[in-house]
Amino acid sequence: MGEVQAFHSDQTTTTTPVGEHADSLSTVLDLVRSGIARTRPEIGRHAGLGRTVVTQRVTQLTVSGLLEEGALGPSSGGRAPRELRFRARAGVILAAELGATSISVGVTDLAGVVLAEHTETADIAAGPETVLSRVEEVFDDLLPRVRAELGSPELPVWGVGVGLPGPVEFATGRPSAPPIMPGWDGYPVRDRFARRYDTPVWVDNEVNTMALGELRAGSARGQRDILYVKIGTGIGAGLISNGTLHRGSQGCAGDIGHAATSEEDDVVCRCGNTGCLEAYAGGAALARDGLVAAKEGRSRFLADVLATTGTVTAADVSRAAQSGDRTSVELLTRAGRLVGTLLATLVSFFNPALVIIGGGVSGAGDLLLAAVRETVYRRSLPLATRELRITRSALSDRAGLVGAAFMAIDELFAPERLARWVDDGSPAGRPALVDVPLRTAVL
């Protein structure tokens, strides 16, 4: 029997035996909460478990407050079985996606359904104290409203999920040298929220949470191998391999924005290097090049924007392109081709079934997406693109928020963690959150 090493918010460690039934317990819960199985006989058929084992696992999950009996199900002869329901509103998840220029904060149930949310502009460069204090204020405003609407004033918070616009060491929940986040390097984001809300917290790169959001509730549902690409102020990718998010050994897999795309050294990226994809095709690059075009008189549309607002943004370039501005069309097409060139390499290497394009710049009409598609299909291996689909994000601006919630939900119901608090005899309606490990590793 294996062991699990639990890393708590205070960084102390304990070693606890992993129950032999951990996988079957998790399987039964997943079948019910996904809607694949609704009765004990259905669970047995899908999971390949005997009647006695199914009964034991359902009883454990019911006592722990995760499942409940419902109406009578269809009968195949004999007594009709009782349907089982996942108690999605036994608790809530606090979720937040922090972008370069905005924050999205929400409260979801344990099935990832958003119950309340709020989005506002914010500057990530203002620093962790300012930004996270505002996130906490919104959490503290939304949570009582959700509790009141559900008629449950003591509804517990089971976990917190946070996405950040930069590299994150997933094991510690701390940003690691994030290029656009001055003052955030090594900041204990996870520990801060864990202390405030007395609950487990998980922190990841926002592109990973966006990929999870699409996988669980967006256009990637049912897919196994996916590449999610965010083109916003910066550029990043989330990789789903065989249905599982691939973070890499240190948590920075998919950081394609700082992959070299040019040998030119005239543009310095925010990471300090030259030639980065982000420095030529990201939202900040589009804004920079659009501003130059406006000042040089190459775009009447952007010149008028500059005269009116004093600046030019990536959104202005997108609007100009949709209005037929030739210079802006060229800027977006060039950005799409640069992104597509790098993606072509990744498509041949990773061979995904689906590439999802998200982020603010992805909403710039069909120009950028068309350029990405044309380049990928032209430059990738024919076998890799035979059944490849390249599409826009279905969740759009909500992908990161939804994904942050599912990150926490997936971790809470991971086999070893689920078995730990169920075996500990936690009271119905809430797991022993103080004792739930924040990070596990099978030894």
Side-chain angles (χ1 to χ4, degrees):
M1 182 165 59
E3 290 183 335
V4 109
Q5 187 169 334
F7 293 78
H8 298 267
S9 60
D10 61 1
Q11 303 302 306
T12 59
T13 64
T14 62
T15 301
T16 306
V18 177
E20 293 179 355
H21 65 289
D23 286 340
S24 60
L25 192 69
S26 179
T27 297
V28 171
L29 178 62
D30 287 345
L31 285 171
V32 176
R33 71 189 182 103
S34 65
I36 294 174
R38 290 187 170 85
T39 65
R40 290 169 177 81
E42 288 177 351
I43 292 172
R45 287 195 296 272
H46 284 285
L49 299 173
R51 181 184 301 176
T52 301
V53 174
V54 171
T55 299
Q56 290 173 345
R57 302 298 174 262
V58 168
T59 298
Q60 287 178 293
L61 292 168
T62 302
V63 170
S64 297
L66 287 172
L67 297 183
E68 63 183 359
E69 299 276 2
L72 290 174
S75 173
S76 57
R79 189 172 62 180
R82 283 280 180 186
E83 289 192 342
L84 298 165
R85 291 194 298 248
F86 174 56
R87 295 188 65 236
R89 299 193 173 175
V92 293
I93 301 294
L94 304 182
E97 181 208 357
L98 281 58
T101 58
S102 66
I103 59 172
S104 293
V105 182
V107 179
T108 79
D109 65 16
L110 300 180
V113 175
V114 178
L115 304 175
E117 63 184 307
H118 172 80
T119 299
E120 67 183 43
T121 58
D123 184 3
I124 199 70
E129 293 297 335
T130 298
V131 175
L132 296 182
S133 292
R134 179 54 185 157
V135 171
E136 290 168 346
E137 288 176 0
V138 180
F139 277 153
D140 294 345
D141 176 59
L142 295 180
L143 188 55
R145 286 165 44 190
V146 168
R147 286 169 168 164
E149 289 172 3
L150 297 182
S152 181
E154 301 300 323
L155 189 66
V157 176
W158 279 31
V160 178
V162 181
L164 298 178
V168 174
E169 187 179 43
F170 187 72
T172 63
R174 295 172 183 249
S176 178
I180 66 170
M181 301 169 65
W184 287 80
D185 186 29
Y187 187 87
V189 178
R190 186 189 73 183
D191 297 344
R192 173 176 177 144
F193 284 117
R195 285 193 300 268
R196 184 177 182 94
Y197 297 103
D198 188 26
T199 192
V201 179
W202 290 273
V203 185
D204 204 351
N205 188 302
E206 64 165 344
V207 182
N208 284 341
T209 65
M210 291 174 175
L212 272 179
E214 291 291 342
L215 178 68
R216 297 284 185 259
S219 55
R221 293 185 70 174
Q223 298 289 335
R224 305 292 293 172
D225 298 291
I226 306 135
L227 186 61
Y228 178 94
V229 181
K230 178 207 171 189
I231 310 175
T233 302
I235 299 175
L239 283 71
I240 305 292
S241 178
N242 196 29
T244 302
L245 181 65
H246 176 74
R247 293 186 172 94
S249 61
Q250 303 300 326
C252 64
D255 193 3
I256 64 172
H258 301 290
T261 190
S262 172
E263 295 296 328
E264 301 176 8
D265 60 3
D266 57 323
V267 178
V268 179
C269 181
R270 285 175 294 183
C271 72
N273 289 325
T274 58
C276 296
L277 176 64
E278 182 177 301
Y280 288 92
L286 286 172
R288 178 198 65 223
D289 294 343
L291 179 61
V292 171
K295 290 180 176 179
E296 293 179 350
R298 291 186 285 115
S299 168
R300 173 62 64 85
F301 188 105
L302 295 180
D304 290 343
V305 171
L306 177 62
T308 302
T309 66
T311 189
V312 172
T313 67
D316 294 327
V317 175
S318 297
R319 288 191 298 108
Q322 291 170 20
S323 298
D325 180 70
R326 180 176 177 178
T327 298
S328 297
V329 168
E330 291 174 351
L331 290 176
L332 281 175
T333 301
R334 177 173 180 265
R337 287 173 178 163
L338 287 170
V339 173
T341 298
L342 182 58
L343 288 186
T345 300
L346 296 179
V347 165
S348 295
F349 177 77
F350 180 51
N351 190 204
L354 177 66
V355 174
I356 302 173
I357 308 296
V361 178
S362 71
D366 294 327
L367 279 170
L368 184 133
L369 184 62
V372 170
R373 282 175 172 158
E374 186 276 330
T375 306
V376 169
Y377 289 129
R378 176 169 50 85
R379 297 183 65 97
S380 300
L381 292 172
L383 182 59
T385 57
R386 179 182 297 172
E387 298 181 1
L388 175 68
R389 289 193 301 121
I390 302 176
T391 185
R392 273 198 198 89
S393 165
L395 295 177
S396 189
D397 295 339
R398 300 184 83 198
L401 180 67
V402 171
F406 274 107
M407 171 176 62
I409 292 167
D410 289 350
E411 293 288 340
L412 279 171
F413 297 143
E416 295 86 359
R417 186 173 292 107
L418 175 66
R420 177 189 169 107
W421 65 261
V422 168
D423 287 349
D424 283 347
S426 303
R430 175 176 175 137
L433 293 176
V434 174
D435 296 326
V436 175
L438 292 173
R439 178 69 169 160
T440 61
V442 177
L443 304 179

